[in-house]
Amino acid sequence: MSYAYALLLIVAAAAAGLFAWQQHRLRILRARIEASTVELERLQQSCALLAPAGVVERLFSEGPESIAEHKVFTAMFTDLVGYTALSGRLDPKTLAGVLNGYFQLVSDSVVEHRGRVGTFLGDGILIFFGALEPNPWQCNDAVHAALAIRDGLVRYNAELERTGLPHIAIGVGIHRGPGLAGLIGSRDRREYTVIGPTLNLAARVQALTREHGHDILLTEPVREQLDPRFDLMPMPAVPVKGISEPVVTYAVLGGREEKARMKAEG
């Protein structure tokens, strides 16, 4: 065997070994990339529980500080009526089950009508429409969602009754106005939500449902943007804490279809 031929064999063996090593490294890198992709998808899915998909994408590409905008949106606040009495009658596990059913009912109705659940506040729920993207029908969507909650509550109470549990009732307040929408919180924990006086007034209007004896109330700014076919009843103006002028609200008696049907029957 000549020296040149032996050298060629050595070079070929070395090249084959290098190629095999590179292939091994490539398989390792590919496995790591696939694992990282799966982990990233899981992280995005987890983040989607706290913020909408579009917000999550901006979070990854631009950072949390970029997700803050002034918006005009429609806020809804729901609250259980008589929660203190209810909590005193039920054991913790049963109470948690009743609350979770109520939260799911409201969340499903809101999502169905292009809304977003912002925050669970005890037995209350902060909801907003039109904060994520432009929505000229946000007031209609909010009232449709409130009516869906009302209808869903009838079915849910029937389920509770069949298992020997007490009925629940809620109050809903709806108001439209400006506020800040974005990822709000500390360095350790943030959530996508909206803040500002619009939310405060929605909560105050919700509290007026007890005083006026109607489960869904909305304000004049909502009524101005609302389809006139909704069946509304004006309520007396009453003073509200933090508001200089007495607040006029409207009780939602029914939807557009119900009002049209009642007129046809009349």
Side-chain angles (χ1 to χ4, degrees), residues 3-242:
Y3 175 78
Y5 183 69
L7 182 61
L8 180 61
L9 288 178
I10 294 173
V11 172
L18 179 61
F19 178 76
W21 179 81
Q22 289 177 332
Q23 290 297 308
H24 175 68
R25 291 290 300 169
L26 183 61
R27 285 194 294 271
I28 293 176
L29 290 174
R30 185 179 292 114
R32 289 179 177 176
I33 292 172
E34 291 176 353
S36 298
T37 301
V38 171
E39 186 62 29
L40 180 59
E41 290 176 352
R42 289 176 180 172
L43 180 60
Q44 289 176 321
Q45 291 172 357
S46 298
C47 290
L49 297 175
L50 302 177
V55 173
V56 173
E57 292 173 2
R58 288 178 57 188
L59 173 64
F60 278 94
S61 62
E62 303 175 28
E65 303 305 328
S66 67
I67 307 172
E69 301 172 287
H70 287 290
K71 294 286 188 71
V72 174
F73 59 91
T74 301
M76 175 190 293
F77 193 82
T78 74
D79 193 51
L80 276 178
V81 177
Y83 172 74
T84 302
L86 181 69
S87 62
R89 296 175 58 184
L90 303 178
D91 63 82
K93 183 177 179 181
T94 303
L95 178 62
V98 171
L99 287 175
N100 288 338
Y102 151 62
F103 291 146
Q104 192 64 57
L105 159 67
V106 173
S107 297
D108 290 345
S109 300
V110 167
V111 171
E112 181 183 357
H113 294 91
R114 296 185 291 184
R116 171 76 184 182
V117 173
T119 309
F120 294 102
L121 302 170
D123 58 308
I125 309 176
L126 166 63
I127 300 155
F128 47 86
F129 298 79
L132 296 175
E133 57 188 6
N135 180 3
W137 306 281
Q138 58 182 265
C139 291
N140 289 342
D141 287 341
V143 177
H144 277 306
L147 291 170
I149 293 169
R150 174 191 284 170
D151 292 340
L153 197 60
V154 173
R155 296 188 294 272
Y156 186 49
N157 278 329
E159 294 178 13
L160 294 175
E161 185 176 356
R162 283 194 294 270
T163 56
L165 294 173
H167 287 192
I168 62 172
I170 67 171
V172 179
I174 308 173
H175 178 54
R176 181 176 185 269
L180 176 67
L183 284 174
I184 308 298
S186 66
R187 289 193 303 269
D188 301 322
R189 184 177 183 275
R190 299 188 186 190
E191 62 181 1
Y192 187 86
T193 189
V194 289
I195 59 175
T198 299
L199 306 179
N200 298 334
L201 185 50
R204 303 289 186 192
V205 170
Q206 183 281 136
L208 293 179
T209 58
R210 279 77 157 171
E211 180 174 341
H212 290 315
H214 289 274
D215 60 341
I216 305 173
L217 294 178
L218 54 84
T219 61
E220 181 64 31
V222 178
R223 188 202 66 80
E224 291 175 350
Q225 300 293 321
L226 200 61
D227 188 319
R229 290 175 292 175
F230 282 101
D231 194 5
L232 307 179
M233 176 185 291
M235 296 287 104
V238 295
V240 172
K241 183 179 180 180

